[in-house]
Amino acid sequence: MSDLYKLQDPTKQYPQPKFKHQPQAVPGIAAEMMPKPDHGEKSYKGNGRLPHRKALVTGGDSGIGRAAAIAFAREGADVAINYLPEEEEDAKETIALIEKAGRKAVAIPGDLRDEAFCVAMVKQAHKQLGGLDILACVAGKQHATEKIADITTEQFEQTYRVNVFSLFWTVKAALPLMPPGGSIITTASIQATHPSPSLLDYAPTKAAILAFTRALARQVAEDGIRVNCVAPGPVWTPLQTSGGQPDKKIPEFGSETPMKRPGQPVEMAPLYVLLASQESSYVTGEVYGATGGLEVS
Ligand code: NAD
Ligand code: MG
């Protein structure tokens, strides 16, 4: 556990390569990773920045979504999380952490590839939380494939369904329920602007998310809704160890960054909190990177 608030060298703050090979099936489980990702369980301290907010976080069971969910709760928000039914083990941990922060937690398992589910998820979150002020769309699918010849149409379509279509369906359902002051946060990637050759299906979905964020922000600004994007670099999450990277690249994961280590999910959390909070009232249509020094734009 790192003390987030102590002055220290960030290059040494969290685990550095080499990591063990540790392939997992999709969706990966954070509880099985070595070392375990740091989602801020023991370190993130809230400062009352999201008092009584109602937040829905997709992909909230693990990784960046869990880090955002923990931080939102500790800042004062009630939080609903969505995840796949196979991720119940990770989801239970996140739910317990939200409750331990003294906030209401709502678990909404289900598959975002289904439009009807996306609509039902938003309605359930709104009903059980008693409102919806923050929508953090964090869920994502990434499967590294070296050659275009090996990317099936099914894989290409599934990646688009999870990363792009579900965003459209979820945001469309949520907007009529969100009050002025509401904040939508999308999750792109450094891949949106610096695509890896092995992520030919994934990288364009992240570029789409970026464009969607900017277009939507300009469309709904007059309604008092802000829309911004977090663009992470390499982050130590089960997405990566379950095929997001080829297993042979896991030992050196993150070493390509100027900081020479991957980010931890907790290092993304302050961006989601800032963008969710009223403190960033003049920020919309923006992309906030956290990449260990790689360039996002
Ligand atoms: P993660 O595996 O912890 O989270 C991804 C989540 O997506 C899963 O927990 C799962 O609940 C959800 N998901 C996937 N398919 C789904 C489906 N069909 N229905 C419902 N939920 C589904 O990994 P993470 O790295 O924290 O990923 C979070 C986001 O961050 C993703 O959008 C990812 O593209 C993005 N991102 C990650 C990195 C990285 O290096 N880890 C870098 C840039 C961007
Ligand atoms: Mg997960």
Side-chain angles (χ1 to χ4, degrees):
M1 196 262 294
S2 165
D3 181 345
L4 289 190
Y5 305 95
K6 190 181 109 192
L7 184 68
Q8 62 195 292
D9 178 351
T11 66
K12 304 199 169 61
Q13 194 171 343
Y14 292 102
Q16 297 159 301
K18 286 190 162 184
F19 301 107
K20 287 188 179 145
H21 289 285
Q22 47 191 296
Q24 287 194 45
V26 178
I29 299 298
E32 290 173 14
M33 290 178 71
M34 304 167 289
K36 286 218 171 109
D38 188 338
H39 305 90
E41 287 91 338
K42 297 198 174 125
S43 57
Y44 189 92
K45 287 184 198 155
N47 280 299
R49 297 167 73 189
L50 301 172
H52 309 294
R53 297 299 202 281
K54 315 286 183 191
L56 168 61
V57 182
T58 68
D61 60 306
S62 62
I64 298 165
R66 182 195 286 186
I70 293 172
F72 285 173
R74 291 189 186 165
E75 297 291 355
D78 294 327
V79 185
I81 60 164
N82 159 253
Y83 51 93
L84 285 165
E86 304 94 288
E87 299 175 302
E88 198 61 46
E89 178 185 355
D90 279 348
K92 275 195 178 133
E93 275 190 42
T94 309
I95 292 289
L97 287 157
I98 297 166
E99 287 173 346
K100 207 171 159 204
R103 307 310 312 178
K104 180 166 186 174
V106 179
I108 314 181
D111 194 327
L112 292 171
R113 288 173 292 190
D114 176 6
E115 178 175 6
F117 172 73
C118 292
V119 174
M121 167 185 73
V122 168
K123 281 193 185 149
Q124 188 183 340
H126 179 258
K127 190 168 174 204
Q128 286 188 246
L129 294 173
L132 185 62
D133 314 311
I134 300 165
L135 172 63
C137 293
V138 188
K141 177 177 171 59
Q142 175 182 330
H143 187 82
T145 310
E146 288 197 0
K147 296 287 174 201
I148 188 170
D150 296 324
I151 301 180
T152 60
T153 299
E154 195 201 354
Q155 176 181 327
F156 198 82
E157 186 183 327
Q158 297 302 318
T159 305
Y160 267 78
R161 275 191 170 258
V162 178
N163 296 3
V164 183
F165 282 55
S166 82
L167 181 63
F168 168 63
W169 293 325
T170 304
V171 165
K172 192 175 174 188
L175 269 172
L177 304 175
M178 295 181 77
S183 168
I184 296 173
I185 307 164
T186 63
T187 307
S189 166
I190 183 115
Q191 290 293 324
T193 48
H194 294 71
S196 298
S198 64
L199 295 175
L200 199 61
D201 55 343
Y202 174 86
T205 67
K206 294 294 166 175
I209 292 169
L210 216 56
F212 180 90
T213 305
R214 288 173 168 150
L216 184 68
R218 269 115 220 168
Q219 185 181 120
V220 299
E222 64 187 22
D223 303 321
I225 306 283
R226 297 179 302 107
V227 191
N228 292 288
C229 181
V230 175
V235 182
W236 187 243
T237 71
L239 181 91
Q240 299 294 3
T241 54
S242 62
Q245 295 293 318
D247 186 54
K248 65 175 190 226
K249 289 203 174 161
I250 290 297
E252 296 296 339
F253 185 65
S255 60
E256 74 279 19
T257 69
M259 288 204 186
K260 310 228 178 314
R261 67 163 178 88
Q264 291 293 323
V266 65
E267 296 181 281
M268 309 296 124
L271 300 182
Y272 287 87
V273 169
L274 174 65
L275 294 172
S277 126
Q278 200 64 30
E279 295 163 316
S280 59
S281 48
Y282 203 51
V283 179
T284 197
E286 298 286 1
V287 185
Y288 280 36
T291 62
L294 298 171
E295 283 169 38
V296 170
S297 54

